[in-house]
Amino acid sequence: MKESLIKFFHRIEPDKQKSPFLHTLYDGFFTFAFTPNHVTKGGVHIRDGMDMKRTMVTVVIALQLCYIFGTFNIGQQHFDALGMYPGVFEGFHLKIFHGLIQILPIFIVTHVVGLGIEFLYASRKGHPIEEGFLVSGALIPLIMPPDIPMWILILAITFAVIIGKEAFGGTGMNVFNVALLARVFVFFAYPTYISGDEVWVSGIEKSGLEHLSIQYGWVHHLLDGIFNSFGWSTFGPGGIPTIDGYTGATPLALAAKEGWEGVTKVYTETQMWWGNIPGSIGETSKPLIIIGALVLIGAGIASWRIMVSGVIGAVVVTLLMNGLVPDQLGPDTPGVFKFMAVPWYYQFYMGSFFFAIVYMATDPVTASATNTGKWIYGFLIGFVGMIIRVLNPAYPEGWMLAILFMNVFAPLIDHYVLEANISRRLKRAKAKTVTAG
Amino acid sequence: MEFLNVFIKAAFIENLVLAYFLGMCSYLAVSKTVKTAFGLGLAVIFVLGITMPINWLISEYLLSENGLLGIDLTFLRFILFIAVIASMVQLVEMVVEKFSPGLYAALGIFLPLITVNCAILGGSLFMVSREYNLTESVAFGLGGGFGWFLAIIAIAAIREKIRYSNVPPALRGLGMAFILTGLMGIAFMSLMGIDPAVFTAAK
């Protein structure tokens, strides 16, 4: 098996001089299957099986649970909106397939565009393909709303990859998180399509590409035929995209208006904890994200320091805000104060805090590199993010923006941590020479 | 409390560089290393913090119709503001030259050029158009200066970091600085919309 695969790879290897693009492409897939033969020479280096590609793939594996649940949840929310199949396992296959119909186009477009740009740059610059887009490409579909129009998605990814990464010199050099840049680009450039205030449950209707919705209907019909032949339940009316496009208010939007009571009127705590609520694809289920976090920490890829300090920062801000709230909360107090009064442990039930702090904040390229720096960096993410979430009426959720904000300051934090370290050691060295002298 | 509101607003929410794009020339030119950026940032904080109340006093008691002279002299505003700023910069320059010749050499022409740094004149004009009182204008000066200081040391640290990156040759130097400023502007947009005054008013 292995030998034949190697033989196959050698047989199809294109000529590097004649077609650099094809060779780059080939090289990318070859190193995906095998470790290349050439090794580093000279100097000090560590021998380890974890090269960049393996690191990236571990993150992608940790994301899989989010993907599976996200796919199911799209379908669940869709049928909830229609009032069909209320139970979790009723019409399970329908929910999964409906989710797949929504998520696959996003996934495919993300990878075709992102990897396409990556391949193009690699062949132009004449270096092997860098794996950086694997993680970004896995993260982007998870943080986009399920029915984002494809042209916006393409624009956002092109912007994020070219301006956010290739301009800085490619993988590992970027200052800003690529997936976040893509999301923030959509957020600021097309605010009506992605607000987080009201998240799309399902349906391509708002996209302005009505002809696509006909295609989706067609897919549903095809699937109906297949399910029918197995004797399973079919989509029926659930397969037709609803004309109005159902949008549900997220817990955060409710909390901003009426505080925690407003949230519990609509969603139960268990529902929010397990993630059976409307939201972006990957963010809703808290336990699955925690499992992913454990995988990442176990593999030594994500920094637990950032996660822990992020949680501390968020808790500190919430406690501060709890203290600032006026004593009497009447019906006509502004919603901000009711939101500020939400206890810290309930804040974690809502929104994308876990997802952002586990997968976005710990990005080793854009986070602070020093350990002390990581504590400061994570703490400030929690601090700023909670402030944006609660106090900024313009944006319902703050983590993505807070992480981007701290990406700006990560190199500065590192700089001063290093400076402090240098001056401390200089002092120690001086003290030693004095005692020795 | 009022002081804190205006300070936070000027430093973070309406950052002079990253929201208004004022004071770009020295911001782009002196942000190559954190050390010089730090020095220039401190100079800007000082100049903004001093000129703002002085200019407030001038425009309130000298130039306005209800002032000491009793004549409307607002058309002299620009000249007088610039004169105050220039003399303050002169003061800073002498201090820096006396106490830190290294920094003085590193800043070079950009230290006297603070005089025409639009962030500083812009700050004074904002103060007039927003009708700040004396405390608020001190807060605005210090806050605006602090925001400028933060922006310049942040971009300087990033530029130090990307010095060893494989940036496309056409973008090296200023090109990258422009892209970075834009991206930092996007990041600072996250705080836009927060109004600290709401909380103090309701409390």
Side-chain angles (χ1 to χ4, degrees), chain B residues 87-185:
Chain B
S87 47
M88 283 309 128
V89 171
Q90 205 56 49
L91 193 70
V92 173
E93 202 181 343
M94 290 191 298
V95 170
V96 172
E97 194 180 5
K98 174 87 170 85
F99 291 105
S100 174
L103 183 63
Y104 183 76
L107 291 176
I109 187 67
F110 288 100
L111 191 54
L113 271 184
I114 299 182
T115 315
V116 285
N117 186 332
C118 29
I120 291 167
L121 182 61
S124 285
L125 295 176
F126 274 139
M127 167 196 82
V128 173
S129 68
R130 290 179 189 168
E131 294 171 350
Y132 284 143
N133 61 28
L134 186 58
T135 6
E136 281 171 335
S137 60
V138 173
F140 184 73
L142 292 177
F146 183 70
W148 203 90
F149 166 81
L150 231 108
I152 196 173
I153 55 173
I155 199 182
I158 297 176
R159 285 179 77 173
E160 272 191 13
K161 184 185 169 186
I162 64 170
R163 189 169 303 152
Y164 304 104
S165 304
N166 183 17
V167 175
L171 283 177
R172 273 178 204 154
L174 269 189
M176 235 24 238
F178 274 108
I179 289 182
L180 272 173
T181 313
L183 293 177
M184 286 164 73

Side-chain angles (χ1 to χ4, degrees), chain A residues 163 166-169 173 175-176 181 184 188 324 336-337 365 387-388 391-395 401 404-405 408-409 411-412 415-416, chain B residues 34 38 150 153-154 157-158 160-162 165-168 176 179-180 183-184 186-194 199 202-203:
Chain A
I163 303 287
E166 295 302 341
F168 286 83
M173 307 290 185
V175 174
F176 298 94
L181 265 187
V184 167
F188 286 131
L324 280 173
V336 186
F337 289 113
V365 178
I387 285 179
I388 298 174
L391 301 186
N392 195 341
Y395 314 127
L401 292 162
L404 205 68
F405 188 78
V408 172
F409 292 106
L412 190 69
H415 179 90
Y416 282 112
Chain B
V34 178
F38 189 86
L150 231 108
I153 55 173
I158 297 176
E160 272 191 13
K161 184 185 169 186
I162 64 170
S165 304
N166 183 17
V167 175
M176 235 24 238
I179 289 182
L180 272 173
L183 293 177
M184 286 164 73
I186 293 180
F188 264 74
M189 268 177 88
S190 56
L191 299 173
M192 228 175 251
I194 300 177
F199 308 104
K203 184 90 180 184

Side-chain angles (χ1 to χ4, degrees), chain A residues 18-329:
Chain A
K18 255 189 247 162
S19 50
F21 183 75
L22 279 181
H23 190 270
T24 322
L25 206 67
Y26 159 83
D27 193 51
F29 283 102
F30 179 73
T31 49
F32 203 81
F34 299 102
T35 311
N37 258 337
H38 44 260
V39 291
T40 333
K41 292 184 192 74
V44 184
H45 44 261
I46 302 162
R47 277 181 63 91
D48 191 356
M50 290 294 283
D51 64 351
M52 192 152 66
K53 206 165 266 185
R54 306 294 175 276
T55 312
M56 300 280 182
V57 168
T58 315
V59 181
V60 176
I61 288 171
L63 279 168
Q64 288 316 304
L65 279 174
C66 292
Y67 260 106
I68 295 167
F69 181 79
T71 313
F72 163 74
N73 195 34
I74 297 170
Q76 173 76 31
Q77 295 307 319
H78 173 73
F79 285 108
D80 267 2
L82 291 167
M84 294 161 70
Y85 306 117
V88 173
F89 289 105
E90 285 175 72
F92 189 74
H93 61 286
L94 294 180
K95 286 169 186 168
I96 290 282
F97 270 96
H98 185 84
L100 278 181
I101 291 168
Q102 300 287 339
I103 204 175
L104 269 182
I106 300 179
F107 191 80
I108 292 167
V109 167
T110 306
H111 280 83
V112 167
V113 175
L115 288 177
I117 295 171
E118 194 93 9
F119 286 177
L120 204 67
Y121 267 90
S123 64
R124 272 285 172 81
K125 285 177 165 173
H127 61 69
I129 292 170
E130 289 161 339
E131 302 77 4
F133 197 74
L134 280 182
V135 170
S136 307
L139 282 172
I140 287 171
L142 288 177
I143 57 176
M144 291 294 178
D147 69 344
I148 180 166
M150 290 305 150
W151 62 274
I152 292 183
L153 187 68
I154 292 170
L155 219 59
I157 292 167
T158 315
F159 171 82
V161 173
I162 293 182
I163 303 287
K165 192 166 73 180
E166 295 302 341
F168 286 83
T171 302
M173 307 290 185
N174 48 320
V175 174
F176 298 94
N177 189 315
V178 178
L180 280 181
L181 265 187
R183 158 107 186 188
V184 167
F185 178 83
V186 181
F187 193 90
F188 286 131
Y190 304 97
T192 48
Y193 286 98
I194 178 171
S195 68
D197 207 7
E198 284 189 337
V199 170
W200 302 260
V201 175
S202 176
I204 199 94
E205 299 77 27
K206 270 195 191 166
S207 64
L209 296 174
E210 277 79 11
H211 61 278
L212 266 184
S213 76
I214 299 165
Q215 284 180 10
Y216 281 114
W218 176 78
V219 175
H220 280 100
H221 277 299
L222 182 73
L223 288 173
D224 265 2
I226 296 170
F227 294 153
N228 224 351
S229 64
F230 282 109
W232 296 347
S233 48
T234 55
F235 283 108
I240 304 158
T242 40
I243 291 164
D244 292 328
Y246 173 86
T247 55
T250 57
L252 282 171
L254 294 169
K257 280 191 201 108
E258 296 172 55
W260 183 247
E261 282 136 48
V263 182
T264 43
K265 257 184 244 165
V266 184
Y267 304 105
T268 62
E269 278 163 37
T270 13
Q271 211 181 350
M272 276 188 278
W273 179 248
W274 290 102
N276 187 11
I277 47 171
S280 287
I281 301 165
E283 71 177 22
T284 55
S285 180
K286 305 340 180 245
L288 297 185
I289 294 168
I290 292 173
I291 294 173
L294 292 180
V295 170
L296 287 182
I297 293 173
I301 290 168
S303 157
W304 59 270
R305 288 182 181 87
I306 293 177
M307 296 185 203
V308 171
S309 59
V311 173
I312 295 173
V315 169
V316 165
V317 176
T318 331
L319 290 178
L320 273 179
M321 286 190 298
N322 287 349
L324 280 173
V325 171
D327 301 329
Q328 297 293 318
L329 283 179

